[in-house]
Amino acid sequence: MRHISPRFSLSASALAASLLVAACGGGGASPPPGAVPGSTGFAIDGYLRGATILCDTNGNAEADAGERTVLTDATGFFQFTQACAAGLVATGGTSIDTNLPFTGKLKAPPGATMVTPLTTLLSNGMTMDQINAVLGLPAGTDVTTLDPARTIGGEYQQLDLFRKTLAIQQILQKTTETLANVAGGGASASLPAIYSEVATAVAAQLRANPALLSGGALDATALTSLVNAAAARVAASPALSAEIRAGLASVNPASLAQVVSGALKVQADRILQSTNALIVSTTSTAQLDTRIADFALANKGALAAAPGATITALAADITSTVSGGVAPPPPPPPSGGTVLASFDEATPPAVTEFGGAGYAIEAAPAGGGTGNVLRITRPGGDVFAGAWVAIPAVPNNAGVQTVSARVYSPTAGIPFVAKLEFGDNAGTGDRAPNEAVVAGWQTLTWTFSNLTAPNVYNRFTLLPNLGTVGTGQDYYIDDITLVAAVTAPPPPPPPPPAPPSSCSTATQQCISFSESTIAALGFEGL
């Protein structure tokens, strides 16, 4: 089953997506020496590395010729050489907290010093007073300058604003994820555009009907209206491909909204009611849960019908499922075999990058690996950039060996190539995995069929997205394992010989019976 992984999940802290533009410093951050006032910023308290920051001078939220963009560095810091007086747009990048890629599109109006889901609604036509009324924030709250994720001593200084920012992001994210999954047609490559259309629809709906919160929880009717409006807008948007629009045209927006909004309410309400200590884990769990989008895809045929008894039953089903707790973990690697590198060793294996790639051995991001993992970053460089890992020598095994690894890719369908080598670029040559690469975590296996003696294959080389120059993508690898050889079952025993016959087949028809058959027929002793 195809599903859209939670690829644009910022970490709970970075979900404020708070790109501090005037260096006012979330959590006490400050610009480096020599920074130009009005042109620098941070992705703060959950920094976004590798995010593209656009100074959107023509207001179309696209990086056009002549418009300036900068990338955040490994700490989330970015700097324009000249101050930006236009609106800001944030795309791409990876959350330093959870290592989850961000593939939505956040905006902020001119003069903002924060870029968050709430400033995105402002950029889509809501006013500050409307934002405060919808979310029950104190009058005069300025979401363009107030940092929702700021902490002091581990305590969020704007916890209520932070929770509500995260809840709005969850609505935008999961609605986008669900629509992309149902649409198909390469919609995963259009997630930022779909996200923008969803945010526009949500802002318009909230302007018309601001009754979103009720007693500290989302209003079910209001949330259903938001999803309905978003589904209808995306299905008709000229900004999206005809194939995506056609994929959604077969779904009734009201039915889709009724089915998924109850489960979405469960997720967002948990965020709204989280404590300071649990808000990060609660939000991360909700972001990583793909069950709503998967369920919508699995029941796409039924969603063509207008709301009725079937739609009500489907809504109850997915709401009950999501209410039951955390989504099941991804499947483990194949059983058996010898672990060559887990990256949890007391002395981690040696890793060497090449072709302009970077690497780190660090804590596993949520949703896939365990303990520590290897991160390979492709910020540019050569089309063959990657890294190799020193491993125990792999035996020849009659020239054939299979190696598995838990792998995270931000993009589906890429060539995630590997090699077993015994020297610099000497070994098996490039091997594609036996499985198609999906977006997210999976177990990949590579079969090497040309190992030759007496070579000692003691390094495992990885070339993620071979043939393409990177633009900041992160790939993760865990539990490199030499898969146990599969022993063929012994051949079945030959059938017993036929009993001898006393008749001559040349002169008559003969039928031979075994002794057991003769006894069963009652002719024994004749």
Side-chain angles (χ1 to χ4, degrees), residues 486-490:
V486 178
T487 303

Side-chain angles (χ1 to χ4, degrees), residues 354-357 376-378 380-387 407-419 421 425 428-433 437 444 446 448 461-471 473 475 477:
F354 54 84
I376 298 177
T377 301
R378 294 283 312 277
D382 298 311
V383 297
F384 54 82
V407 170
Y408 176 91
S409 170
T411 308
I414 67 167
F416 210 115
V417 170
K419 298 188 284 187
E421 296 185 300
N425 205 30
T428 61
D430 298 344
R431 291 291 183 272
V437 175
L444 292 179
W446 297 265
F448 305 97
T461 302
L462 291 148
L463 302 100
N465 208 4
L466 177 65
T468 302
V469 174
T471 57
Q473 298 90 344
Y475 304 88
I477 299 92

Side-chain angles (χ1 to χ4, degrees), residues 198-228:
V198 169
T200 300
V202 167
Q205 189 67 24
L206 290 177
R207 289 199 307 269
N209 179 19
L212 180 62
L213 289 178
S214 176
L218 291 172
D219 180 86
T221 301
L223 182 56
T224 301
S225 297
L226 293 183
V227 178
N228 190 353

